[in-house]
Amino acid sequence: MSLPFFLALRYLKGRNKFFFNFWSAFSVLGIFFGVFSILVASSFMDGLKQVMMDELLQKRAHIIIKSSDGKFGEDAIKTLEETSEIASFSPVIYTQGLLKFGQKSQGVLVCGIDLQQQKEILPFLKGVSARDLSDQQLVLSKTLARDLDVLEQDLVNLYSTQNTQKTAFGRVPVAARLKVASSYLADGQILADNLVYVSLASAKKIAGQTANSQLELHLQNAYDVKKVVKTLRQNLGEKYKITGWNEEDKAIYDSLKIEAIALNFVLFLIIILAIFNMSGNFLRLANEKSGEIGVLKSMGIRQNQIMKIFIYCGLCIAGLGAGSGVVIAYAFVFFQAKYRWLTVPVQGLGFDYLPVKIFYSSGFYIFALVLLVSLIFSYYPCRRLQSIDPIKVIKE
């Protein structure tokens, strides 16, 4: 064991044979709680983001392709079929409408779909059978059915708000009388309560020339969206507008990332405060040990060796605090992920536990960062040691 390291351990040692004195132990605890808080909070934020994104991606298309002329050629369809990352795709027509039953009415977004293909893209439609979506039927959410007091087999009027037809009384909205065939559960689904599904033929009739035809794609892995979008843009050309979920939901995705960064920054300030406390403790220690340091200098101990004493002190405190924080934080997160013993009694979230996602590399980076910051903050006390005059100390 080198002399600087031996003296560093001696200076850190408390009086009653404890490994650390009170102030050093206080610094270790500060760094421990800072590192523990950062890793646990970031794991919870990453887990929450993962759960929310997975929930969102189960209820929407991963990629949307729109054509400048509303048509998709055989070459485009063949390209999609040959792209291995695409699990399924389906044509969709969107238009705005007004749904009326009795004295009640509600503005709705009309979605014309091929039900068999769309079930592969929107899993919550799997409870709807093919006979529930003929050309004279529609499917709506349970929330919308409750608002309009509509039951299955009731006849409702659907008016287009974008397409009109010429009659003897002037131009009137295109209308269709459809039977309510089924309803789906849309609780917790974003922007789905006012969505009604009809067949492609019904949507074309209601929308007319204003039909907004597009293709919706479902990927094998939704997080490959950037790569797939780039490939499709190269293969399909400028005629088609291709948009991934990461672009349409960019505000949601970015807000989650910003919240995580802000939280981690605030928690990292805890570590900075603990290291400030450590630096102040070193200044106090340097003043208390000035006599011993003067004697060491008179015995021929070099200045860089004396500086190493306080550097080792800082590394011991930071290493023990950060190391224990990383180990205990990951143990805590691991058991939460396995046993889900921390619950969230909140309705409508889709889960009743605190979700976590573990990135073991984060622990390594935080541990290294804490050691680096401790070295920086240990430098100033070391500079103060250069002003100690051994001859003056010995005379005193």
Side-chain angles (χ1 to χ4, degrees):
M1 182 184 297
S2 64
L3 179 61
F5 187 66
F6 172 79
L7 292 174
L9 295 179
R10 180 68 183 84
Y11 288 165
L12 291 174
K13 198 169 186 181
R15 291 182 180 177
N16 300 313
K17 303 298 182 182
F18 289 111
F19 184 70
F20 282 124
N21 58 44
F22 174 78
W23 293 107
S24 298
F26 191 77
S27 299
V28 171
L29 286 175
I31 295 174
F32 164 78
F33 283 116
V35 172
F36 178 85
S37 301
I38 286 179
L39 290 177
V40 172
S42 62
S43 295
F44 282 148
M45 288 297 295
D46 290 335
L48 180 61
K49 181 172 68 175
Q50 184 74 48
V51 169
M52 290 182 65
M53 294 308 300
D54 288 346
E55 185 76 9
L56 179 64
L57 293 175
Q58 285 181 0
K59 298 174 179 178
R60 58 151 302 150
H62 298 162
I63 296 177
I64 295 174
I65 303 179
K66 297 180 180 180
S67 173
S68 58
D69 58 4
K71 299 179 181 179
F72 298 91
E74 294 183 1
D75 292 341
I77 300 300
K78 185 178 180 180
T79 299
L80 298 179
E81 292 174 343
E82 293 176 349
T83 304
S84 59
E85 292 87 355
I86 299 175
S88 60
F89 61 92
S90 173
V92 177
I93 294 176
Y94 285 104
T95 187
Q96 299 289 334
L98 181 71
L99 191 63
K100 187 175 182 180
F101 180 71
Q103 299 300 316
K104 294 185 177 182
S105 60
Q106 179 73 45
V108 293
L109 177 64
V110 182
C111 181
I113 61 173
D114 182 317
L115 182 61
Q116 294 304 318
Q117 295 182 23
Q118 199 69 12
K119 284 181 178 180
E120 301 299 322
I121 298 174
L122 304 177
F124 63 87
L125 287 177
K126 288 186 177 180
V128 181
S129 63
R131 58 183 173 79
D132 290 336
L133 205 63
S134 69
D135 291 347
Q136 301 300 319
Q137 293 174 316
L138 62 77
V139 174
L140 73 170
S141 71
K142 291 185 181 296
T143 302
L144 183 57
R146 184 171 59 249
D147 292 342
L148 295 176
D149 291 331
V150 173
L151 300 175
E152 291 186 12
Q153 305 305 315
D154 283 341
L155 292 172
V156 296
N157 294 316
L158 180 59
Y159 299 94
S160 173
T161 58
Q162 296 178 314
N163 185 30
T164 61
Q165 61 183 351
K166 189 176 181 180
T167 67
F169 303 99
R171 302 200 68 86
V172 297
V174 173
R177 190 165 177 81
L178 304 173
K179 181 183 291 186
V180 177
S182 180
S183 58
Y184 61 89
L185 182 64
D187 292 342
Q189 183 175 326
I190 296 176
L191 299 179
D193 288 346
N194 67 335
L195 186 63
V196 298
Y197 292 99
V198 299
S199 67
L200 283 173
S202 296
K204 289 179 181 179
K205 177 183 176 181
I206 295 170
Q209 298 298 322
T210 63
N212 183 16
S213 180
Q214 61 188 43
L215 288 178
E216 293 188 351
L217 282 63
H218 182 80
L219 303 182
Q220 303 283 359
N221 184 355
Y223 297 97
D224 290 337
V225 63
K226 289 185 179 180
K227 181 181 71 173
V228 177
V229 167
K230 182 179 179 181
T231 301
L232 293 178
R233 285 173 178 169
Q234 292 175 346
N235 295 338
L236 296 181
E238 297 181 356
K239 178 183 176 182
Y240 300 98
K241 181 182 179 182
I242 305 171
T243 308
W245 66 261
N246 59 319
E247 298 171 290
E248 292 211 348
D249 298 323
K250 193 173 187 302
I252 299 175
Y253 195 68
D254 289 346
S255 64
L256 290 173
K257 289 197 296 185
I258 292 172
E259 287 179 7
I261 293 172
L263 178 62
N264 289 335
F265 175 75
V266 172
L267 292 175
F268 188 71
L269 293 180
I270 299 175
I271 298 178
I272 297 297
L273 290 175
I275 294 177
F276 263 118
N277 176 70
M278 180 187 70
S279 181
N281 185 35
F282 287 169
L283 288 173
R284 180 189 58 80
L285 184 63
N287 292 329
E288 288 181 357
K289 303 296 183 180
S290 58
E292 295 181 17
I293 294 172
V295 172
L296 290 174
K297 280 189 172 183
S298 67
M299 294 173 61
I301 301 297
R302 295 188 302 275
Q303 178 65 31
N304 64 340
Q305 289 181 301
I306 294 176
M307 292 178 67
K308 285 181 180 179
I309 295 173
F310 288 88
I311 291 176
Y312 287 147
C313 285
L315 290 177
C316 286
I317 291 175
L320 183 60
S324 58
V326 169
V327 172
I328 296 177
Y330 279 134
F332 178 85
V333 171
F334 174 79
F335 284 110
Q336 170 63 18
K338 187 172 182 179
Y339 299 109
R340 298 177 177 178
W341 54 280
L342 285 180
T343 58
V344 184
V346 180
Q347 300 296 326
L349 289 180
F351 54 90
D352 59 355
Y353 63 94
L354 282 177
V356 293
K357 186 174 182 180
I358 304 175
F359 289 103
Y360 290 105
S361 58
S362 299
F364 172 78
Y365 292 135
I366 290 177
F367 181 80
L369 183 60
V370 171
L371 292 184
L372 177 62
V373 174
S374 69
L375 282 175
I376 295 173
F377 279 85
S378 300
Y379 179 74
Y380 180 68
C382 294
R383 293 285 297 176
R384 288 286 300 272
L385 298 175
Q386 294 181 353
S387 61
I388 296 177
D389 186 355
I391 297 178
K392 183 178 180 181
V393 170
I394 293 174
K395 285 182 178 181
E396 293 177 353

